[in-house]
Amino acid sequence: MVSRVIPVESFDLVVFGGTGDLARRKILPGLYRRFLAGQVPDDARIFGAARAEMDDAGFRQFVAEAIAEFGGSASRAAEDVARFLNRLHYVAIDAKGDSGWADLAKAMRPGVVRAFYFSVAPALFGDLAERLHRHGIASPESRIVVEKPFGRDLESARALNATLAEHFTEHQIYRIDHYLGKETVQNLMAVRFANILFEPLWNARHVDHVQITVAETVGVGGRGSYYDKSGAMRDMVQNHLMQLLCLIAMEPPYRFDPDAVRDEKLKVIHALEPVGPDDIVRGQYRGAGKGTRGSYCDDAENPESRTESYIALRVNIANWRWKGTPFYLRTGKKLRARASEIAIVFKEVPHSIFGDEEGWRENVLSIRLQPNEGMTLSVMIKEPGPGGMRLTEVPLDMSFAEALGEDGADIPDAYERLIMDVIRGNQTLFMRGDEVEAAWAWTDPIIAGWEARTDKPRGYDPGSSGPEDALMLLHRDGRRWREIRE
Ligand code: NAD
């Protein structure tokens, strides 16, 4: 099956922070891939805007190198790259000053979609919004894309929402959570709401528990001093894991429409019960030596750091659908494998007609976000051959690449998809202001709790599955974590 590419109207896209790491690794190579797919119209223009003094030629060279390094399977044919580079321009701009803004204002065309991607430090989000307005660059049809982190607690998120709201309406603000742009995450909604099979079982009567794992093998590396002020709860749980939890737990929206979907996600966040200290395990990798075997405190350059590089939580949702089905969340750095997975673990059959079968396992719907995006449903069947009824577990593999006859490498990256959604004006996969605030309102007391107790994170070995205590979080409920593997 050849994937359909839906054309978009012409646009002027300005990437503030266009010379930064995110632009280089994701945004610009992603735009190139969309260009190759025919989604960047001939007259569309992409502007890099950053503090460095540079001209169009310098920026095009920068982007050519970014494509060469991070373009993935995309064509490197010189004429393809050159045609794309022709659409690129550069404006030197200071988010905190007035230089460059008049040039940008002059460069904007009337009558086309204007999108402004804020790929700069969060401290500059407000400055950019204000100056876009002051210099008459923001039109009523303009959109702004705001990177993470969106605040570091409820108060700062509220303040940021208020600042952005002074210049843009909620319908113009696209708060990015790239997990929502993943093919599998959207497929989760298709599987749930476009099939009759799963929805009747999607509740506490049939689901024993849910596990959400986002495991990384890297440490905090070069961003240790930033990360040390954040930690796994703020950096991963409040946004990415929470969003995944919402998509699993939400009620069917009445339509696949941005506000209908986000209304349902918001209800889930409101229904989350507070999490007590017994339902949280915080960890910090502590190795001997340097590099991959080293310690978090060395990486963070803070020998006394109490910031967690790992967290596991048991979360309860207080509503009719989920009361009694815990959601176990865990995420961490320097773990044994890079793997993100959601596992819906179903209950046992009410009565086994086969007696005590050794090979028996519960059904699990496993949704892999990375690597190898796809879904697997494990089911029990009879082991082939004579000799009576022996059961065995087989996976029903719903790997999209195979099923759709596509090369998996051609599945668009999350950033590509999300940027095209911005151009199309579709906010479904972006977080609304009230969602972000509700997520912080749930997160803040949990963080305040361990800060007040001056809790220290538990140590774990780099390359392991996390602290021993995290195993206990499930063991005491008679459950176990799924293995972290690629
Ligand atoms: P970076 O430090 O590599 O780049 C920052 C960019 O901002 C540069 O282009 C710089 O020139 C520009 N800049 C700095 N001060 C400026 C000013 N006063 N006026 C105009 N431009 C200015 O940062 P990054 O890693 O690309 O991150 C950008 C944003 O994306 C941040 O909010 C970050 O939290 C978020 N983010 C980054 C990643 C990632 O993988 N890098 C992942 C998720 C989110």
Side-chain angles (χ1 to χ4, degrees):
M1 188 192 292
V2 178
S3 60
R4 254 183 325 144
V5 172
I6 302 168
V8 296
E9 51 185 307
S10 187
F11 58 84
D12 281 348
L13 167 67
V14 180
V15 182
F16 289 109
T19 59
D21 177 65
L22 185 66
R24 192 169 70 92
R25 286 191 306 109
K26 293 288 182 183
I27 302 172
L28 295 161
L31 282 162
Y32 173 59
R33 286 164 61 95
R34 287 298 91 204
F35 161 78
L36 291 177
Q39 280 193 317
V40 176
D42 286 345
D43 59 345
R45 296 172 324 154
I46 298 162
F47 293 83
R51 222 166 19 171
E53 284 302 332
M54 203 187 269
D55 57 11
D56 285 358
F59 186 57
R60 288 173 184 178
Q61 178 62 28
F62 169 82
V63 177
E65 285 164 18
I67 291 171
E69 195 171 353
F70 300 107
S73 62
S75 153
R76 304 290 201 282
E79 68 197 67
D80 286 338
V81 176
R83 275 194 305 128
F84 175 68
L85 296 182
N86 269 335
R87 290 161 167 74
L88 301 183
H89 304 275
Y90 184 81
V91 186
I93 225 161
D94 183 4
K96 284 195 158 306
D98 283 323
S99 64
W101 290 96
D103 297 335
L104 186 62
K106 232 186 289 159
M108 295 288 100
R109 292 173 297 166
V112 299
V113 169
R114 276 181 208 176
F116 302 97
Y117 197 130
F118 293 5
S119 180
V120 295
L124 301 178
F125 293 164
D127 295 300
L128 292 179
E130 194 265 322
R131 280 171 177 75
L132 281 172
H133 197 74
R134 174 146 44 103
H135 293 275
I137 301 171
S139 61
E141 298 78 35
S142 296
R143 289 134 212 197
I144 58 170
V145 185
V146 186
E147 258 302 331
K148 83 170 219 189
F150 200 93
R152 68 180 315 276
D153 52 20
L154 177 57
E155 197 187 338
S156 54
R158 268 195 187 138
L160 181 52
N161 272 333
T163 305
L164 298 180
E166 284 174 29
H167 309 293
F168 296 93
T169 66
E170 184 60 36
H171 286 105
Q172 295 178 287
I173 304 172
Y174 291 70
R175 294 174 194 78
I176 219 160
D177 185 321
H178 68 274
Y179 273 63
L180 294 182
K182 289 183 183 285
E183 183 76 14
T184 333
V185 172
Q186 292 171 69
N187 245 311
L188 174 59
M189 283 191 274
V191 164
R192 273 195 71 187
F193 302 129
N195 296 285
I196 195 72
L197 281 180
F198 293 104
E199 198 50 27
L201 305 178
W202 210 261
N203 54 53
R205 248 176 309 142
H206 301 290
V207 177
D208 180 70
H209 70 282
V210 175
Q211 297 186 16
I212 304 178
T213 300
V214 177
E216 297 176 284
T217 49
V218 293
V220 295
R223 54 198 279 268
S225 61
Y226 156 77
Y227 188 92
D228 205 43
K229 293 187 208 77
S230 167
M233 187 73 175
R234 287 190 171 98
D235 192 46
M236 297 297 291
V237 177
Q238 184 274 345
N239 39 48
H240 307 314
L241 277 81
M242 179 83 84
Q243 288 293 322
L244 299 179
L245 178 148
C246 285
L247 293 177
I248 299 164
M250 72 182 186
E251 295 300 315
Y254 74 96
R255 233 185 13 206
F256 191 60
D257 156 284
D259 279 326
V261 170
R262 297 182 300 176
D263 286 346
E264 296 306 335
K265 280 161 52 195
L266 182 61
K267 286 185 210 161
V268 175
I269 304 176
H270 285 318
L272 296 178
E273 289 182 358
V275 180
D278 292 345
D279 289 331
I280 303 173
V281 176
R282 296 167 66 236
Q284 213 182 55
Y285 56 86
R286 294 195 190 135
K290 290 249 171 229
T292 52
R293 305 298 308 164
S295 270
Y296 174 84
C297 286
D298 291 337
D299 288 349
E301 294 173 5
N302 175 4
E304 304 296 322
S305 175
R306 287 192 286 112
T307 301
E308 75 286 357
S309 61
Y310 173 100
I311 190 163
L313 307 143
R314 181 188 200 275
V315 178
N316 294 312
I317 303 175
N319 64 20
W320 277 37
R321 188 188 280 265
W322 293 115
K323 186 74 186 173
T325 294
F327 283 59
Y328 299 98
L329 317 184
R330 66 178 161 167
T331 180
K333 300 209 172 277
K334 277 206 189 171
L335 296 176
R336 58 182 304 170
R338 174 173 173 266
S340 301
E341 183 202 61
I342 302 168
I344 318 289
V345 182
F346 290 92
K347 290 193 169 168
E348 296 179 10
V349 290
H351 163 69
S352 169
I353 64 167
F354 304 109
D356 271 347
E357 258 298 335
E358 270 217 349
W360 192 86
R361 296 274 181 281
E362 60 281 85
N363 300 124
V364 179
L365 176 66
S366 142
I367 300 145
R368 282 188 316 274
L369 277 70
Q370 61 190 20
N372 315 322
E373 289 198 53
M375 292 194 199
T376 308
L377 178 65
S378 69
V379 292
M380 299 306 298
I381 61 160
K382 177 190 167 299
E383 207 175 275
M389 179 66 86
R390 288 186 310 273
L391 299 182
T392 188
E393 183 189 25
V394 290
L396 292 184
D397 202 334
M398 301 189 259
S399 288
F400 310 128
E402 240 169 72
L404 300 177
E406 285 188 0
D407 177 357
D410 283 341
I411 293 180
D413 174 79
Y415 281 94
E416 293 172 42
R417 180 190 316 275
L418 293 173
I419 294 170
M420 286 300 126
D421 279 358
V422 173
I423 304 296
R424 288 197 198 93
N426 184 346
Q427 289 187 305
T428 311
L429 301 174
F430 296 83
M431 295 179 293
R432 210 168 52 190
D434 52 0
E435 262 185 274
V436 178
E437 290 186 15
W440 280 121
W442 177 78
T443 312
D444 275 3
I446 301 175
I447 296 175
W450 73 59
E451 282 179 351
R453 292 189 303 272
T454 62
D455 279 0
K456 277 205 176 118
R458 307 273 173 205
Y460 64 92
D461 288 335
S464 69
S465 300
E468 284 289 312
D469 289 24
L471 302 180
M472 292 312 297
L473 194 67
L474 269 74
H475 278 185
R476 67 170 198 222
D477 293 346
R479 300 179 175 115
R480 64 194 155 78
W481 287 111
R482 286 162 62 80
E483 209 180 308
I484 299 176
R485 60 168 175 222
E486 289 202 355

